Amino acid sequence: GNQEQAGGVAGRYLRFGSGRGFHYLAIDLAAAYPGCLKTYVRHAVMVGGRFLVLLDDAEELGPGRQGFHLRFQTRGTIVPAADAPRAAIRNEGAVLHVLASAPSDAAVTQSKAVLAFVSIRPQVRRRQETFVTVLYPGGLKDPAPAASFTASGKRGTLCVARPGGSADELVFERTRGRWTLVSVNGASARKIPSGERQTVFRVKGK
């Protein structure tokens, strides 16, 4: 969002665990954006140690807000792509590809506050929005993968085509108004624990 996150709040894990070839967490972060977001759940899926998928499901409290968008801050150099909704973050001999797979009208731009950041923002503002972003690391000369997210009914499918011809498929399902991960490359995610026993502690410096 456009506001600073609130202090003294904590996220609530909804799911946390691993399956064959992937690690997965879903966390409710709405408390970090009081007065801005009604709901905000972030899903993070690490696929085979190759790349990270973020699915952010957010709903604004109502009209009169500034709109919700994603930011990825960096001290590196940002290189937006001219022909696709993606950007590359270059830093110390490596590159992180940031691919916006959803929404379909996502615009990827760069800006700067305290740090430079990649911004992903829908061109048409909607009160409820689902962002699907792929973070894919590589070398400076490595080509970017391609990623597409399609939603049909209560199911959403993300296909990530890796350089060299291989592909990965992640399937999400919308139940009771929320997305949840169903499978990664055919491996079921339905038995991933709820994450209720996971706790985030603040680490204090000495």
Side-chain angles (χ1 to χ4, degrees):
N2 288 304
Q3 299 181 4
E4 294 295 326
Q5 295 182 11
V9 298
R12 180 173 63 90
Y13 280 103
L14 305 175
R15 299 183 75 192
F16 187 100
S18 301
R20 178 166 50 87
F22 68 93
H23 306 287
Y24 172 51
L25 69 83
I27 187 169
D28 185 343
L29 297 172
Y33 299 91
C36 179
L37 296 178
K38 179 179 179 181
T39 61
Y40 179 27
V41 176
R42 164 163 283 184
H43 305 258
V45 190
M46 174 64 75
V47 181
R50 294 184 296 273
F51 59 90
L52 181 68
V53 172
L54 300 178
L55 187 150
D56 292 286
D57 200 12
E59 182 180 357
E60 295 182 46
L61 281 171
R65 315 291 169 176
Q66 295 182 7
F68 184 81
H69 69 283
L70 298 184
R71 288 185 179 183
F72 297 92
Q73 296 186 114
T74 179
R75 295 185 184 276
T77 301
I78 299 171
V79 184
D83 58 345
R86 66 172 187 262
I89 298 175
R90 297 180 178 178
N91 194 16
E92 298 183 356
V95 62
L96 179 67
H97 296 287
V98 181
L99 295 86
S101 301
S104 59
D105 64 343
V108 178
T109 59
Q110 65 172 320
S111 189
K112 186 174 182 178
V114 176
L115 295 174
F117 62 86
V118 175
S119 171
I120 300 177
R121 186 193 299 269
Q123 297 183 47
V124 176
R125 182 177 170 185
R126 292 170 284 270
R127 183 171 176 179
Q128 191 281 330
E129 193 63 84
T130 297
F131 295 82
V132 180
T133 310
V134 177
L135 304 178
Y136 196 104
L140 289 174
K141 296 183 179 180
D142 292 345
S148 61
F149 182 78
T150 56
S152 178
K154 295 182 178 181
R155 180 156 292 202
T157 302
L158 173 68
C159 182
V160 180
R162 291 181 271 134
S166 300
D168 296 278
E169 184 182 80
L170 291 78
V171 178
F172 294 86
E173 189 174 76
R174 199 166 186 84
T175 58
R176 295 189 294 273
R178 286 182 172 177
W179 288 106
T180 189
L181 182 68
V182 173
S183 66
V184 177
N185 293 327
S188 177
R190 294 188 182 277
K191 293 184 178 180
I192 297 294
S194 66
E196 293 178 353
R197 296 185 179 182
Q198 305 299 323
T199 305
V200 177
F201 294 95
R202 181 178 180 182
V203 178
K204 295 183 179 181
K206 295 182 180 180

